[in-house]
Amino acid sequence: MTHRFYIVDVFAERSYSGNQLAVVVGAEALSDETMQQLAAETNYSETTFVTPEPEDDGGYRVRIFTPAREIAFAGHPILGTAWVLRHHIASEASGPVRLNLAVGQVPVSFEVSSEGGEVAWFLAPPVSLGMTCDREPIAAALGVSPEDIEASFPVQQISAGTSAMIVPLRSLDALRRSKLDLDAFATLGAEGFPPLVYLFCRQTHHPQNNLCARFFFEAHGVREDPATGNGAAFLGAYLLEHRFFPGPLLSVRIEQGYEIRRPSLVMLRARMVDGSREVSVGGYVIPTVRGELM
């Protein structure tokens, strides 16, 4: 069986920026071991494997692998996979593209931005807010001082299939200096905190943007994501919960990836609906490569 694959840049405003994603079509014919080996071969933050035909509920079954393990939910794989389905697999279909993930079905819609580009948006699954921790241990794990962390907002674990720690920093300088040390993080890990850390600050590289972020995670050592959709979904719930911005509606532009020369733009919308948080994450998707597995 021929397995087509595509490489796309997600949350990218131009080619060779944003977060790379490999999408392999024909997941039903590949073993778990083969999928993990292919994810390690691409060595991208994530590689997805999708069935070419929808299931009975209209959703396409998608599995997401990092170079080290399978995960239940991640943002840029959702948008990139949906874009490939819309443009190459189910181009005649109308309405949202529905992906069946381990966390449930996630719809992806497409709209034209004010700049004229096509933006893909996913509605995040329910997000839960978890434990908080003191500034001192996370500052030590990130190589910054406790004073570099905002005192008015908590360091908090957020979850939706996967979990990450949200860390509010006071400056772009602190964001640049940050680096996750897994040995120093061990005490937090023993308390149940995951070695996935999403840092953000109000200062930005470009005035039209609202926040700047970085995301570190463990996968055969520490890696840094150029753009993190699930982290942005976690952040949306966090911003609403702690009223980081005034008002009940959020529309936020998040920069990421500048420190690793993959500038990215993540768009975030969040609001309260009938007492529940509704969070959507969007971005541009740019194709770069297509081919077949040998």
Side-chain angles (χ1 to χ4, degrees):
M1 179 179 177
T2 298
H3 289 85
R4 289 169 288 169
F5 76 91
Y6 303 85
I7 296 175
V8 294
D9 291 336
V10 185
F11 300 122
E13 295 184 275
R14 62 178 185 275
S15 297
Y16 313 119
S17 61
N19 203 345
Q20 311 105 308
L21 175 73
V23 180
V24 179
V25 180
E28 71 285 356
L30 297 172
S31 68
D32 291 7
E33 180 182 11
T34 298
M35 285 189 272
Q36 185 62 76
Q37 289 172 334
L38 286 167
E41 180 77 8
T42 68
N43 205 32
Y44 293 154
S45 299
E46 285 91 18
T47 296
T48 62
F49 300 85
V50 60
T51 57
E53 299 293 334
E55 298 183 312
D56 291 342
D57 62 1
Y60 292 83
R61 177 60 55 187
V62 179
R63 297 178 68 180
I64 306 171
F65 286 78
T66 75
R69 64 184 65 86
E70 185 174 8
I71 59 176
F73 169 61
H76 90 276
I78 291 173
L79 297 185
T81 303
W83 188 95
V84 169
L85 286 166
R86 175 178 168 86
H87 288 273
H88 295 288
I89 310 301
S91 57
E92 301 302 317
S94 60
V97 175
R98 302 185 183 278
L99 306 184
N100 290 342
L101 307 176
V103 294
Q105 188 173 98
V106 176
V108 180
S109 59
F110 295 83
E111 64 181 52
V112 177
S113 72
S114 58
E115 291 82 15
E118 182 184 62
V119 182
W121 288 90
F122 76 83
L123 179 65
V127 176
S128 61
L129 284 74
M131 301 183 293
T132 62
C133 78
D134 294 333
R135 290 185 295 164
E136 287 75 10
I138 191 64
L142 293 171
V144 297
S145 73
E147 290 71 29
D148 286 319
I149 299 175
E150 284 271 11
S152 302
F153 299 95
V155 175
Q156 188 167 27
Q157 180 177 345
I158 314 289
S159 302
T162 57
S163 296
M165 298 181 70
I166 301 292
V167 182
L169 296 178
R170 297 181 61 189
S171 68
L172 201 56
D173 176 65
L175 193 72
R176 291 191 186 106
R177 288 187 279 110
S178 298
K179 186 174 182 179
L180 180 61
D181 181 332
L182 291 177
D183 290 335
F185 190 87
T187 56
L188 288 169
E191 296 176 19
F193 290 102
L196 296 88
V197 184
Y198 187 97
L199 314 135
F200 75 99
C201 69
R202 294 179 188 267
Q203 290 184 337
T204 60
H205 296 270
H206 301 289
Q208 68 269 32
N209 299 326
N210 307 105
L211 299 172
C212 191
R214 298 181 75 178
F215 182 74
F216 299 111
F217 64 101
E218 191 280 323
H220 300 314
V222 175
R223 295 168 64 101
E224 180 171 357
D225 230 359
T228 314
N230 60 343
F234 297 159
L235 180 65
Y238 176 98
L239 297 175
L240 280 177
E241 178 71 17
H242 301 295
R243 301 180 183 276
F244 194 87
F245 293 111
L249 300 176
L250 299 181
S251 180
V252 180
R253 292 166 58 97
I254 305 167
E255 303 172 340
Q256 195 177 338
Y258 284 77
E259 289 75 15
I260 54 175
R261 294 183 294 179
R262 298 281 305 190
S264 306
L265 174 65
V266 182
M267 303 176 201
L268 171 66
R269 295 172 178 165
R271 61 177 183 165
M272 298 298 297
V273 179
D274 297 327
S276 299
R277 291 179 291 267
E278 183 181 277
V279 180
S280 297
V281 177
Y284 298 108
V285 180
I286 298 177
T288 58
V289 176
R290 64 180 175 182
E292 296 178 356
L293 298 183
M294 304 266 314

